[in-house]
Amino acid sequence: METKDDLLRQLEELKKLRNSMDESTKNISKKDRIDNINKKEKELEKTNDVVEILKTKIEEIDNEIKEIENDLIKNAKEYEASYKRFQELIKEEEKNLDDSSLFTAEEIDVSKSYYDKLKLSENNRAKDIKKAFQEQRKLISSLKGKKTKLMKDIEKAEALDLSIIDYNEINSALRKTKIFEAILERKGLHFIISKPSKDRTKEEKELLKETKEEILKEISEVKNKEDNTSILDIIQALYKIDVNYKNIGTRVEFISIDEFNRLKENASKLPVVYKGEDYDNSKEPIKAPEDLENIVETKKEDIDINSNINERIVIFKDKNNGDLYIREYAREKFRDKYKINKLDTGIKIKGSLCFKISEEEANYIIEHANNNFSPYITKIDEIEIEKKEYKPDDFNITKEEFDLLIDNGLTPGSIEFDKEIKEKNILLGNKPIIDNTNKKDELSSLELIEYLTEGLEINKLDVDRYVASNIQVSKKFKEELKEGKSSYNIIHIATSVVKAPINFFKKISAKLLISLRGLQMIEKLNIRLDELEDSDLELLKEEEKDNIIFPLIDAKLKERKSSLNDMFIENVEEERIKQR
Amino acid sequence: MIGELELEKINVLINGEEKECDVLFTFDSEATFKSYIGYTDNTTSKDGRKNIYISSYNPLSTKLELEDITDSKELEMFQEVLKKLDEDANKA
């Protein structure tokens, strides 16, 4: 029989443990130290130090990286141990409550529901810590990668008798695709670069690599003789090309209004709601021609937005110049399946990274909407897109920080780019991150669903036949079925639970036993739901009851509404026990 | 693979009347992100058949709410589960 003192002592330990976990949470971030090393690595790229000094500095950086990594692992282990103890303690406390005679069964249920909330909260924190840990390992790994690259660059620069600054400057010039391609063209290798990278043969790739080294050597030799000449001037003189790469041709395609009208006409023949340039919310959607009515009728069931096709591909049309764009996920989808090529670096439209597509590609997307493999709904959305060349000032970050993000392969204006700034707290002052979009809270429920489900092939789950998983049956019912004496009426009427054992629902479905793909989808949807305002969730709850993702929306809203302060829970519990 | 469920009871309001019910079976579906439950108040109808009530609930929610099943595909899934349970019981 547990006494009041025992229960209070356990509660006290629980409090201490949670304080310790709070401390671990604070310590897990190594942001300042990582940023500091990043800065050091960046400085080394621009230094005129001799090779020996550079190598010593890199060694110092290497030691610092190791220290950070060790600390990170230590903090994570400490947290893991505390979390494990927390789980044991909650279990003990729940058992002790059952064994004690201090409370009635109903009161014990209340206490247990408090502990459920604590468990849920700590479970979420454990997930966040795990995520933070993985992200920082990624950053540390990036530091290591940069350090290794720096070391290699120093060695290569040394071999070419160049300073690291000059070496980097040459590479930076060659990284400008148009310049590099123009040089390769002069060298007769245009047949290789005109192919997509994945279509190049091993020999061609090797030849490109060798040619790059040859170019580096050629430029280095001139630089060593003409130290005061800029790298771009050397390139211009050596290869007789215009180094103002913006003038070296372009592959960007613009479409005429006639072409767009043809596209629009094609779209209107398809059994989808068309929202083109003359779309007006107050009017009926453009209808298909009379002779297509039958087709529209037969296909209606397949394409209705409330039916089982939830995937939508939006084609944005820029009101200013008619350029067409699709979201990143759509580009990936079509690149894989229909060989659509990447055309530019992407811009942000309605909160998503989007890429320009040609009219032919847009036609392709529209024409294949009704395919058997993965049908989707297309929509043309005409909007004004602000063209912008991003600069560090747009994000309130320094040039170094901007370059660092670019070096890490992030596209300015992309979601990942913004996320990185937010999470690394590079953002200074009060200027908002540049975003030429409408805010999410201004979106309709349809657009919110579009945002939530973009890129997730949820329609694939919504098949002709639902399949059950994680089936569990009571022993008594199984025996009854075996005896075969009873027959049954299956009744489905609205009922409500008045009383159920605490944790009952959790116990019988420890978790939704769904496939990895399903779990990943839930995870992605939850991340996106977290980004929505309460008002958005309310709107979705009201208007999207039949949507397949409704259970997630509903759960998220309930989770937010029941945000009982965790510390408050412990204090309430303590008070309840003391009063006995 | 069908698992065994510990006998649980839930009190449910059926036609405005609170009834204690035995939980007979449960399952999930990844196609709907929902879980499903079959339970009985151990009553029989006039034709001598035992009444089994079926409902769905949101396994992702902390609040327990049973929902009525109206979707034909969900009902078909229930039929298949019952068939599977019957086959499984008679195989054992």
Side-chain angles (χ1 to χ4, degrees):
Chain A
M1 184 73 62
E2 293 296 321
T3 66
K4 192 166 145 179
D5 286 345
D6 290 334
L7 287 170
L8 284 172
R9 202 182 52 246
Q10 275 172 332
L11 207 56
E12 193 53 38
E13 193 190 342
L14 195 65
K15 266 188 183 180
K16 281 183 186 160
L17 207 53
R18 296 221 318 128
N19 284 338
S20 135
M21 287 195 283
D22 285 344
E23 203 56 35
S24 301
T25 310
K26 279 183 214 154
N27 291 340
I28 204 93
S29 172
K30 310 285 174 227
K31 180 193 163 294
D32 291 345
R33 289 164 72 186
I34 290 175
D35 285 352
N36 190 30
I37 296 184
N38 253 324
K39 213 176 267 177
K40 284 185 184 177
E41 286 182 338
K42 208 80 197 170
E43 279 164 10
L44 281 192
E45 287 174 3
K46 295 170 188 165
T47 179
N48 271 323
D49 287 343
V50 293
V51 175
E52 284 316 307
I53 296 178
L54 280 175
K55 284 184 179 170
T56 314
K57 284 185 177 171
I58 288 181
E59 243 173 66
E60 283 169 15
I61 286 177
D62 190 36
N63 288 334
E64 281 181 57
I65 295 174
K66 278 178 191 156
E67 267 178 39
I68 297 179
E69 193 169 28
N70 289 340
D71 286 352
L72 181 69
I73 292 169
K74 190 173 156 243
N75 292 145
K77 279 188 176 168
E78 279 169 4
Y79 176 79
E80 204 181 353
S82 301
Y83 182 54
K84 205 174 159 193
R85 177 65 192 137
F86 163 83
Q87 287 173 311
E88 287 168 1
L89 208 57
I90 288 271
K91 216 170 170 180
E92 282 169 25
E93 187 80 356
E94 281 178 336
K95 187 178 175 299
N96 292 341
L97 274 172
D98 284 333
D99 294 346
S100 77
S101 54
L102 292 172
F103 297 106
T104 63
E106 280 78 14
E107 286 170 334
I108 288 173
D109 280 354
V110 172
S111 290
K112 286 186 177 177
S113 71
Y114 284 165
Y115 290 132
D116 278 348
K117 280 190 183 301
L118 276 188
K119 278 191 276 187
L120 190 69
S121 158
E122 277 307 331
N123 189 25
N124 287 338
R125 173 151 70 174
K127 278 185 206 160
D128 289 344
I129 293 261
K130 192 179 168 192
K131 197 177 156 201
F133 175 75
Q134 282 165 344
E135 278 171 0
Q136 292 193 75
R137 288 219 70 170
K138 212 170 140 189
L139 288 173
I140 290 172
S141 159
S142 156
L143 287 180
K144 285 181 182 171
K146 278 188 94 177
K147 184 213 73 187
T148 311
K149 186 179 175 295
L150 205 53
M151 196 60 159
K152 279 186 186 165
D153 286 351
I154 289 168
E155 283 162 2
K156 282 181 188 168
E158 193 184 11
L160 292 166
D161 204 17
L162 287 174
S163 71
I164 188 78
I165 299 181
D166 287 342
Y167 177 81
N168 283 336
E169 203 183 326
I170 298 173
N171 271 305
S172 160
L174 295 180
R175 266 201 296 271
K176 290 181 175 109
T177 319
K178 301 290 177 190
I179 291 182
F180 189 52
E181 286 184 357
I183 300 175
L184 291 173
E185 204 171 339
R186 296 292 181 276
K187 287 182 173 281
L189 296 178
H190 192 259
F191 72 98
I192 302 180
I193 51 168
S194 59
K195 287 184 194 176
S197 176
K198 61 181 171 53
D199 294 341
R200 291 173 194 161
T201 65
K202 202 179 159 191
E203 291 72 25
E204 286 170 343
K205 284 178 184 167
E206 195 56 40
L207 182 58
L208 270 186
K209 202 177 157 193
E210 282 169 14
T211 311
K212 192 179 174 187
E213 278 168 20
E214 186 186 303
I215 296 169
L216 255 167
K217 208 173 164 192
E218 286 167 357
I219 301 171
S220 313
E221 280 167 6
V222 181
K223 181 70 186 167
N224 285 329
K225 286 180 202 159
E226 306 280 341
D227 193 31
N228 290 329
T229 316
S230 81
I231 301 292
L232 285 179
D233 285 345
I234 293 173
I235 292 174
Q236 189 154 334
L238 260 178
Y239 306 104
K240 311 279 180 286
I241 59 165
D242 182 356
V243 288
N244 182 5
Y245 66 94
K246 281 179 188 165
N247 297 331
I248 307 175
T250 172
R251 287 193 205 166
V252 179
E253 291 175 38
F254 292 88
I255 66 162
S256 67
I257 192 70
D258 289 341
E259 285 168 330
F260 182 74
N261 281 338
R262 193 166 62 78
L263 176 71
K264 188 184 77 174
E265 201 186 331
N266 283 343
S268 67
K269 285 176 190 167
L270 288 166
V272 296
V273 174
Y274 164 74
K275 287 186 181 182
E277 58 183 357
D278 45 6
Y279 178 74
D280 181 339
N281 276 324
S282 63
K283 292 176 188 167
E284 283 294 305
I286 294 172
K287 282 187 179 169
E290 287 294 320
D291 57 348
L292 283 169
E293 280 298 315
N294 287 340
I295 300 171
V296 173
E297 198 52 41
T298 30
K299 297 287 178 192
K300 198 177 173 187
E301 219 176 280
D302 292 332
I303 53 86
D304 190 295
I305 53 167
N306 292 321
S307 79
N308 55 12
I309 299 177
N310 285 315
E311 190 179 4
R312 286 166 212 180
I313 305 289
V314 181
I315 300 171
F316 294 106
K317 184 204 164 194
D318 190 347
K319 272 185 181 173
N320 300 318
N321 53 21
D323 286 356
L324 299 166
Y325 297 86
I326 50 173
R327 290 193 169 108
E328 190 177 18
Y329 80 89
R331 186 185 65 150
E332 290 309 311
K333 177 187 174 84
F334 291 107
R335 190 153 55 167
D336 288 341
K337 289 178 187 164
Y338 308 120
K339 313 280 181 219
I340 281 197
N341 294 321
K342 175 182 173 179
L343 283 180
D344 68 19
T345 51
I347 59 165
K348 206 169 172 191
I349 303 172
K350 291 194 174 181
S352 304
L353 182 62
C354 294
F355 293 86
K356 189 183 273 182
I357 54 166
S358 69
E359 182 219 356
E360 272 180 0
E361 287 160 350
N363 269 334
Y364 195 94
I365 293 169
I366 293 168
E367 283 163 13
H368 285 74
N370 213 13
N371 71 83
N372 290 332
F373 175 68
S374 173
Y376 51 86
I377 297 167
T378 54
K379 179 182 141 186
I380 298 176
D381 197 356
E382 195 176 341
I383 51 167
E384 280 193 20
I385 300 168
E386 187 193 337
K387 283 279 168 11
K388 188 159 183 70
E389 195 169 310
Y390 289 108
K391 291 176 189 150
D393 282 352
D394 296 329
F395 303 93
N396 271 342
I397 55 175
T398 64
K399 188 173 179 310
E400 284 70 30
E401 287 164 339
F402 186 81
D403 288 345
L404 173 70
L405 295 174
I406 305 287
D407 286 349
N408 276 300
L410 301 177
T411 310
S414 68
I415 293 167
E416 286 79 6
F417 193 90
D418 290 351
K419 197 176 155 207
E420 195 64 28
I421 293 172
K422 276 181 197 162
E423 288 182 1
K424 289 175 79 180
N425 289 324
I426 288 173
L427 196 64
L428 302 167
N430 296 319
K431 271 202 220 167
I433 291 174
I434 197 79
D435 187 351
N436 58 3
T437 68
N438 298 323
K439 284 185 179 171
K440 285 188 192 74
D441 57 7
E442 290 169 4
L443 300 180
S444 68
S445 65
L446 206 65
E447 285 171 317
L448 285 167
I449 289 291
E450 205 172 276
Y451 165 75
L452 288 169
T453 57
E454 73 172 4
L456 306 177
E457 294 179 11
I458 288 174
N459 58 309
K460 286 198 173 176
L461 293 177
D462 202 359
V463 288
D464 290 342
R465 193 176 136 261
Y466 293 159
V467 178
S469 61
N470 191 22
I471 304 172
Q472 297 189 39
V473 62
S474 77
K475 205 175 168 187
K476 191 181 164 193
F477 187 50
K478 195 173 175 178
E479 280 165 7
E480 203 175 285
L481 288 169
K482 197 175 179 182
E483 283 171 13
K485 287 179 187 165
S486 305
S487 50
Y488 305 93
N489 281 326
I490 306 299
I491 306 166
H492 52 103
I493 50 163
T495 56
S496 57
V497 177
V498 178
K499 196 177 164 190
I502 218 84
N503 277 345
F504 168 69
F505 284 77
K506 281 183 191 168
K507 208 189 288 175
I508 56 175
S509 63
K511 62 174 180 177
L512 202 58
L513 286 186
I514 58 179
S515 67
L516 185 62
R517 185 170 62 84
L519 283 173
Q520 285 167 344
M521 199 178 285
I522 288 181
E523 201 178 322
K524 282 182 187 166
L525 281 165
N526 266 324
I527 291 170
R528 293 178 193 178
L529 281 166
D530 279 336
E531 289 170 11
L532 299 189
E533 302 290 328
D534 286 355
S535 56
D536 293 331
L537 293 177
E538 293 282 4
L539 179 72
L540 288 171
K541 189 178 177 184
E542 196 59 38
E543 296 185 7
E544 296 290 334
K545 281 197 166 63
D546 294 329
N547 198 295
I548 188 173
I549 66 165
F550 181 77
L552 275 102
I553 297 166
D554 188 39
K556 185 60 68 186
L557 200 56
K558 280 173 184 156
E559 181 189 309
R560 290 210 191 155
K561 285 189 171 174
S562 63
S563 59
L564 195 56
N565 184 293
D566 295 343
M567 292 313 287
F568 176 69
I569 291 175
E570 286 161 352
N571 293 338
V572 168
E573 260 309 273
E574 194 174 325
E575 207 47 48
R576 279 159 52 87
I577 296 170
K578 277 180 184 168
Q579 279 172 12
R580 295 289 142 165
Chain B
M1 178 80 181
I2 296 174
E4 192 173 296
L5 184 69
E6 280 174 43
L7 184 66
E8 293 277 7
K9 289 186 186 296
I10 50 172
N11 285 28
V12 178
L13 267 187
I14 299 173
N15 298 329
E17 197 183 332
E18 184 177 336
K19 290 187 175 177
E20 189 181 72
C21 297
D22 292 334
V23 179
L24 304 176
F25 60 91
T26 62
F27 60 91
D28 304 325
S29 173
E30 81 165 272
T32 59
F33 292 141
K34 286 200 266 184
S35 291
Y36 299 86
I37 182 169
Y39 48 98
T40 179
D41 58 355
N42 293 305
T43 56
T44 46
S45 59
K46 283 176 189 169
D47 56 8
R49 288 166 177 256
K50 199 169 170 178
N51 294 325
I52 293 181
Y53 299 92
I54 55 173
S55 301
S56 66
Y57 65 93
N58 184 354
L60 305 162
S61 171
T62 45
K63 202 174 171 193
L64 316 176
E65 279 173 6
L66 290 185
E67 285 160 25
D68 191 12
I69 295 165
T70 49
D71 185 305
S72 61
K73 283 193 272 186
E74 286 179 291
L75 290 170
E76 277 167 24
M77 179 166 58
F78 258 102
Q79 273 181 347
E80 280 181 25
V81 168
L82 282 163
K83 200 176 152 202
K84 207 177 264 184
L85 289 176
D86 192 39
E87 282 168 3
D88 184 70
N90 287 299
K91 209 191 295 168

